[in-house]
Amino acid sequence: MLGVTDLPTYLAGLVLIVLLPGPNSLYVLSVAARRGVRTGYTAAAGVWCGDTVLMTLSAAGVASLLQANALLFGIVKYAGAGYLSWLAFGMLRAAVAMWRARHEKAAQDGPAGGEGEGATEGSGERPFRRALVISLLNPKAILFFIAFFVQFVDPGYAYPALSFVVLGALAQVASFLYLTALIFGGTRLAAAFRRRKRLSAGATSAAGALFLGFAVKLSLSSV
């Protein structure tokens, strides 16, 4: 079909890959839990745009350029690791603020502290831009797209670019379904977070630690 071979195997592999946790999906879940469905979809749109750019770059041969140029790969890699680290420290700072607000609320026995904390955490955040940058500053993703897609493109097909478009569209559909599930799951978590400030602070701390882990993993990766 349009130069795509072994479609069932591709779809099976795609499902497994999409379900693997990563910084993009974790960020979308975090945003949805903190700020609701609409903002969650705003962050998800950044992921989809970023993935579209990476797929296009892969099809255009940028993956081969990164693979051949260690310096260029290193620049993009460490820029991505630095950005993930910056996000991680921001989450950890927010978690510290939540713990303090919780203790202050307990001391004052009033509801106002939690609302102020939520407003402070969300102020100035641009979910679309953050999700887009997280996607783009991941050179391994470009290499992954070209390495994964090329296995299912018929080398004898006259229009291989069209095959990449079909594979990319299927990947985006899978991503849409998965992130939608995370967004609505995140809003359910938000209700629990609002009731239990300790849970909210703990989850934010865990997300910050995971982002630090993603940054370390990316910085240690090789072509």
Side-chain angles (χ1 to χ4, degrees):
M1 182 187 72
L2 299 177
V4 176
T5 63
D6 203 3
L7 184 59
T9 302
Y10 171 76
L11 294 176
L14 185 62
V15 169
L16 293 176
I17 291 163
V18 167
L19 291 178
L20 288 175
N24 287 336
S25 57
L26 180 61
Y27 180 67
V28 171
L29 176 61
S30 171
V31 168
R34 289 183 286 112
R35 301 180 61 185
V37 170
R38 177 177 295 183
T39 310
Y41 271 112
T42 299
V47 173
W48 298 324
C49 288
D51 285 349
T52 299
V53 171
L54 294 184
M55 292 175 193
T56 303
L57 292 176
S58 299
V62 174
S64 300
L65 177 62
L66 285 176
Q67 205 162 14
N69 191 322
L71 177 60
L72 179 60
F73 180 87
I75 290 173
V76 179
K77 177 180 73 173
Y78 288 116
Y83 188 71
L84 289 176
S85 298
W86 178 73
L87 288 179
F89 284 117
M91 290 180 178
L92 292 174
R93 284 197 307 270
V96 171
M98 289 179 190
W99 285 112
R100 289 176 178 172
R102 177 180 174 272
H103 290 308
E104 290 174 2
K105 180 181 177 182
Q108 298 172 1
D109 194 26
E115 295 176 2
E117 161 240 310
T120 301
E121 183 189 354
S123 61
E125 184 178 13
R126 294 181 175 87
F128 178 87
R129 187 178 69 179
R130 284 195 177 185
L132 178 64
V133 173
I134 290 173
S135 294
L136 295 180
L137 291 181
N138 186 1
K140 296 295 285 186
I142 302 179
L143 298 178
F144 162 77
F145 280 128
I146 190 68
F148 184 60
F149 282 7
V150 74
Q151 301 174 58
F152 303 96
V153 175
D154 182 359
Y157 187 63
Y159 307 101
L162 182 58
S163 303
F164 271 90
V165 170
V166 172
L167 295 172
L170 292 173
Q172 292 288 49
V173 169
S175 176
F176 173 81
L177 295 175
Y178 177 57
L179 292 182
T180 294
L182 289 183
I183 288 168
F184 283 96
T187 57
R188 290 180 178 271
L189 289 175
F193 288 167
R194 282 192 292 269
R195 292 193 302 269
R196 301 178 182 180
K197 297 303 178 184
R198 176 182 294 182
L199 178 62
S200 179
T204 304
S205 300
L210 281 174
F211 266 74
L212 277 179
F214 290 136
V216 172
K217 181 180 178 181
L218 179 58
S219 65
L220 295 178
S221 65
S222 56
V223 179

